[in-house]
mmCIF file of all heavy atoms in Angstrom:
data_model
loop_
_atom_site.group_PDB
_atom_site.id
_atom_site.type_symbol
_atom_site.label_atom_id
_atom_site.label_comp_id
_atom_site.label_asym_id
_atom_site.label_seq_id
_atom_site.Cartn_x
_atom_site.Cartn_y
_atom_site.Cartn_z
ATOM 1 N N GLY A 18 -12.179 10.962 -9.918
ATOM 2 C CA GLY A 18 -13.235 10.913 -8.912
ATOM 3 C C GLY A 18 -13.007 9.894 -7.811
ATOM 4 O O GLY A 18 -13.803 9.783 -6.887
ATOM 5 N N THR A 19 -11.906 9.136 -7.905
ATOM 6 C CA THR A 19 -11.695 8.128 -6.872
ATOM 7 C C THR A 19 -10.655 8.536 -5.842
ATOM 8 O O THR A 19 -10.416 7.801 -4.891
ATOM 9 C CB THR A 19 -11.220 6.793 -7.486
ATOM 10 O OG1 THR A 19 -9.974 7.012 -8.167
ATOM 11 C CG2 THR A 19 -12.236 6.242 -8.454
ATOM 12 N N PHE A 20 -10.008 9.673 -6.033
ATOM 13 C CA PHE A 20 -8.932 10.016 -5.115
ATOM 14 C C PHE A 20 -8.910 11.512 -4.822
ATOM 15 O O PHE A 20 -9.507 12.314 -5.535
ATOM 16 C CB PHE A 20 -7.583 9.604 -5.717
ATOM 17 C CG PHE A 20 -7.273 10.300 -7.012
ATOM 18 C CD1 PHE A 20 -6.537 11.474 -7.041
ATOM 19 C CD2 PHE A 20 -7.737 9.788 -8.223
ATOM 20 C CE1 PHE A 20 -6.267 12.130 -8.234
ATOM 21 C CE2 PHE A 20 -7.482 10.438 -9.423
ATOM 22 C CZ PHE A 20 -6.738 11.612 -9.426
ATOM 23 N N SER A 21 -8.194 11.842 -3.752
ATOM 24 C CA SER A 21 -8.017 13.238 -3.381
ATOM 25 C C SER A 21 -6.567 13.616 -3.651
ATOM 26 O O SER A 21 -5.652 13.134 -2.980
ATOM 27 C CB SER A 21 -8.327 13.422 -1.894
ATOM 28 O OG SER A 21 -7.666 14.556 -1.392
ATOM 29 N N ARG A 22 -6.363 14.488 -4.625
ATOM 30 C CA ARG A 22 -4.984 14.848 -4.975
ATOM 31 C C ARG A 22 -4.292 15.587 -3.830
ATOM 32 O O ARG A 22 -3.081 15.494 -3.661
ATOM 33 C CB ARG A 22 -4.962 15.677 -6.256
ATOM 34 C CG ARG A 22 -3.572 15.685 -6.900
ATOM 35 C CD ARG A 22 -3.566 16.218 -8.304
ATOM 36 N NE ARG A 22 -3.907 15.225 -9.288
ATOM 37 C CZ ARG A 22 -4.663 15.469 -10.364
ATOM 38 N NH1 ARG A 22 -5.154 16.665 -10.572
ATOM 39 N NH2 ARG A 22 -4.928 14.503 -11.228
ATOM 40 N N ASP A 23 -5.074 16.306 -3.018
ATOM 41 C CA ASP A 23 -4.477 17.046 -1.893
ATOM 42 C C ASP A 23 -3.803 16.117 -0.909
ATOM 43 O O ASP A 23 -2.671 16.343 -0.479
ATOM 44 C CB ASP A 23 -5.566 17.832 -1.143
ATOM 45 C CG ASP A 23 -6.075 18.984 -1.973
ATOM 46 O OD1 ASP A 23 -5.346 19.419 -2.887
ATOM 47 O OD2 ASP A 23 -7.197 19.460 -1.717
ATOM 48 N N ILE A 24 -4.522 15.037 -0.542
ATOM 49 C CA ILE A 24 -3.944 14.103 0.424
ATOM 50 C C ILE A 24 -2.692 13.475 -0.176
ATOM 51 O O ILE A 24 -1.644 13.369 0.472
ATOM 52 C CB ILE A 24 -4.937 12.978 0.787
ATOM 53 C CG1 ILE A 24 -6.216 13.545 1.390
ATOM 54 C CG2 ILE A 24 -4.293 11.988 1.747
ATOM 55 C CD1 ILE A 24 -7.238 12.490 1.791
ATOM 56 N N LEU A 25 -2.783 13.070 -1.436
ATOM 57 C CA LEU A 25 -1.651 12.404 -2.072
ATOM 58 C C LEU A 25 -0.459 13.353 -2.229
ATOM 59 O O LEU A 25 0.682 12.955 -2.035
ATOM 60 C CB LEU A 25 -2.064 11.843 -3.437
ATOM 61 C CG LEU A 25 -3.097 10.726 -3.355
ATOM 62 C CD1 LEU A 25 -3.629 10.380 -4.736
ATOM 63 C CD2 LEU A 25 -2.497 9.485 -2.712
ATOM 64 N N ASP A 26 -0.736 14.612 -2.559
ATOM 65 C CA ASP A 26 0.337 15.602 -2.667
ATOM 66 C C ASP A 26 1.072 15.742 -1.350
ATOM 67 O O ASP A 26 2.305 15.775 -1.304
ATOM 68 C CB ASP A 26 -0.236 16.977 -3.054
ATOM 69 C CG ASP A 26 -0.211 17.202 -4.556
ATOM 70 O OD1 ASP A 26 0.631 16.567 -5.231
ATOM 71 O OD2 ASP A 26 -1.021 18.003 -5.059
ATOM 72 N N ALA A 27 0.299 15.818 -0.264
ATOM 73 C CA ALA A 27 0.919 15.973 1.056
ATOM 74 C C ALA A 27 1.825 14.786 1.358
ATOM 75 O O ALA A 27 2.929 14.950 1.881
ATOM 76 C CB ALA A 27 -0.161 16.108 2.126
ATOM 77 N N GLN A 28 1.387 13.586 1.005
ATOM 78 C CA GLN A 28 2.212 12.400 1.266
ATOM 79 C C GLN A 28 3.475 12.414 0.406
ATOM 80 O O GLN A 28 4.554 12.043 0.860
ATOM 81 C CB GLN A 28 1.417 11.124 0.972
ATOM 82 C CG GLN A 28 0.306 10.850 1.970
ATOM 83 C CD GLN A 28 -0.473 9.586 1.653
ATOM 84 O OE1 GLN A 28 -0.615 9.183 0.499
ATOM 85 N NE2 GLN A 28 -0.984 8.937 2.671
ATOM 86 N N TYR A 29 3.339 12.849 -0.853
ATOM 87 C CA TYR A 29 4.462 12.863 -1.789
ATOM 88 C C TYR A 29 5.532 13.859 -1.347
ATOM 89 O O TYR A 29 6.721 13.562 -1.348
ATOM 90 C CB TYR A 29 3.938 13.230 -3.182
ATOM 91 C CG TYR A 29 4.967 13.236 -4.287
ATOM 92 C CD1 TYR A 29 5.313 12.068 -4.958
ATOM 93 C CD2 TYR A 29 5.579 14.425 -4.698
ATOM 94 C CE1 TYR A 29 6.239 12.077 -5.992
ATOM 95 C CE2 TYR A 29 6.505 14.436 -5.727
ATOM 96 C CZ TYR A 29 6.830 13.259 -6.375
ATOM 97 O OH TYR A 29 7.756 13.281 -7.394
ATOM 98 N N VAL A 30 5.064 15.034 -0.954
ATOM 99 C CA VAL A 30 5.984 16.097 -0.560
ATOM 100 C C VAL A 30 6.830 15.682 0.643
ATOM 101 O O VAL A 30 8.020 15.973 0.723
ATOM 102 C CB VAL A 30 5.180 17.392 -0.275
ATOM 103 C CG1 VAL A 30 5.964 18.366 0.563
ATOM 104 C CG2 VAL A 30 4.759 18.038 -1.571
ATOM 105 N N GLN A 31 6.198 14.941 1.566
ATOM 106 C CA GLN A 31 6.917 14.507 2.770
ATOM 107 C C GLN A 31 8.129 13.654 2.435
ATOM 108 O O GLN A 31 9.091 13.605 3.192
ATOM 109 C CB GLN A 31 5.986 13.665 3.641
ATOM 110 C CG GLN A 31 5.196 14.476 4.617
ATOM 111 C CD GLN A 31 4.383 13.576 5.533
ATOM 112 O OE1 GLN A 31 4.042 12.448 5.198
ATOM 113 N NE2 GLN A 31 4.077 14.081 6.693
ATOM 114 N N LYS A 32 8.051 12.932 1.311
ATOM 115 C CA LYS A 32 9.130 11.996 1.016
ATOM 116 C C LYS A 32 10.231 12.590 0.143
ATOM 117 O O LYS A 32 11.198 11.912 -0.170
ATOM 118 C CB LYS A 32 8.553 10.762 0.301
ATOM 119 C CG LYS A 32 7.604 9.961 1.173
ATOM 120 C CD LYS A 32 7.075 8.744 0.436
ATOM 121 C CE LYS A 32 5.637 8.486 0.805
ATOM 122 N NZ LYS A 32 4.945 7.670 -0.200
ATOM 123 N N ASP A 33 10.053 13.826 -0.298
ATOM 124 C CA ASP A 33 11.123 14.512 -1.029
ATOM 125 C C ASP A 33 11.596 13.709 -2.250
ATOM 126 O O ASP A 33 12.757 13.303 -2.339
ATOM 127 C CB ASP A 33 12.308 14.732 -0.065
ATOM 128 C CG ASP A 33 13.154 15.924 -0.503
ATOM 129 O OD1 ASP A 33 12.628 16.775 -1.238
ATOM 130 O OD2 ASP A 33 14.337 15.970 -0.132
ATOM 131 N N LEU A 34 10.680 13.490 -3.168
ATOM 132 C CA LEU A 34 10.976 12.620 -4.307
ATOM 133 C C LEU A 34 11.199 13.406 -5.590
ATOM 134 O O LEU A 34 10.717 14.521 -5.746
ATOM 135 C CB LEU A 34 9.800 11.660 -4.531
ATOM 136 C CG LEU A 34 9.467 10.759 -3.347
ATOM 137 C CD1 LEU A 34 8.102 10.122 -3.544
ATOM 138 C CD2 LEU A 34 10.515 9.674 -3.202
ATOM 139 N N VAL A 35 11.927 12.761 -6.518
ATOM 140 C CA VAL A 35 12.084 13.350 -7.850
ATOM 141 C C VAL A 35 11.572 12.336 -8.861
ATOM 142 O O VAL A 35 11.903 11.151 -8.791
ATOM 143 C CB VAL A 35 13.566 13.662 -8.173
ATOM 144 C CG1 VAL A 35 13.692 14.235 -9.570
ATOM 145 C CG2 VAL A 35 14.142 14.624 -7.145
ATOM 146 N N THR A 36 10.762 12.810 -9.789
ATOM 147 C CA THR A 36 10.217 11.921 -10.816
ATOM 148 C C THR A 36 10.772 12.316 -12.166
ATOM 149 O O THR A 36 10.967 13.497 -12.446
ATOM 150 C CB THR A 36 8.682 12.023 -10.828
ATOM 151 O OG1 THR A 36 8.200 11.608 -9.562
ATOM 152 C CG2 THR A 36 8.073 11.128 -11.884
ATOM 153 N N GLY A 37 11.029 11.318 -13.014
ATOM 154 C CA GLY A 37 11.532 11.594 -14.349
ATOM 155 C C GLY A 37 10.558 11.136 -15.409
ATOM 156 O O GLY A 37 9.733 10.257 -15.165
ATOM 157 N N VAL A 38 10.653 11.743 -16.585
ATOM 158 C CA VAL A 38 9.844 11.324 -17.731
ATOM 159 C C VAL A 38 10.785 11.049 -18.889
ATOM 160 O O VAL A 38 11.638 11.871 -19.207
ATOM 161 C CB VAL A 38 8.840 12.420 -18.158
ATOM 162 C CG1 VAL A 38 8.169 12.050 -19.464
ATOM 163 C CG2 VAL A 38 7.809 12.634 -17.066
ATOM 164 N N VAL A 39 10.636 9.886 -19.491
ATOM 165 C CA VAL A 39 11.467 9.525 -20.634
ATOM 166 C C VAL A 39 10.579 9.526 -21.872
ATOM 167 O O VAL A 39 9.486 8.972 -21.849
ATOM 168 C CB VAL A 39 12.058 8.114 -20.416
ATOM 169 C CG1 VAL A 39 12.463 7.482 -21.716
ATOM 170 C CG2 VAL A 39 13.233 8.175 -19.469
ATOM 171 N N THR A 40 11.049 10.171 -22.935
ATOM 172 C CA THR A 40 10.278 10.146 -24.164
ATOM 173 C C THR A 40 11.220 10.127 -25.359
ATOM 174 O O THR A 40 12.374 10.566 -25.275
ATOM 175 C CB THR A 40 9.288 11.332 -24.212
ATOM 176 O OG1 THR A 40 8.428 11.168 -25.328
ATOM 177 C CG2 THR A 40 10.016 12.652 -24.307
ATOM 178 N N PHE A 41 10.737 9.570 -26.451
ATOM 179 C CA PHE A 41 11.564 9.423 -27.640
ATOM 180 C C PHE A 41 10.990 10.231 -28.791
ATOM 181 O O PHE A 41 9.785 10.163 -29.050
ATOM 182 C CB PHE A 41 11.620 7.949 -28.071
ATOM 183 C CG PHE A 41 12.474 7.123 -27.169
ATOM 184 C CD1 PHE A 41 11.969 6.672 -25.959
ATOM 185 C CD2 PHE A 41 13.773 6.814 -27.505
ATOM 186 C CE1 PHE A 41 12.749 5.915 -25.111
ATOM 187 C CE2 PHE A 41 14.562 6.055 -26.668
ATOM 188 C CZ PHE A 41 14.058 5.601 -25.462
ATOM 189 N N ALA A 42 11.851 10.971 -29.472
ATOM 190 C CA ALA A 42 11.396 11.692 -30.664
ATOM 191 C C ALA A 42 12.302 11.288 -31.804
ATOM 192 O O ALA A 42 13.365 11.864 -32.026
ATOM 193 C CB ALA A 42 11.456 13.188 -30.419
#
Side-chain angles (χ1 to χ4, degrees):
Chain A
T19 61
F20 61 93
S21 156
R22 199 167 276 141
D23 290 338
I24 301 181
L25 294 171
D26 266 335
Q28 290 180 330
Y29 182 85
V30 161
Q31 271 185 335
K32 295 181 217 159
D33 205 22
L34 301 166
V35 179
T36 299
V38 171
V39 158
T40 188
F41 286 80

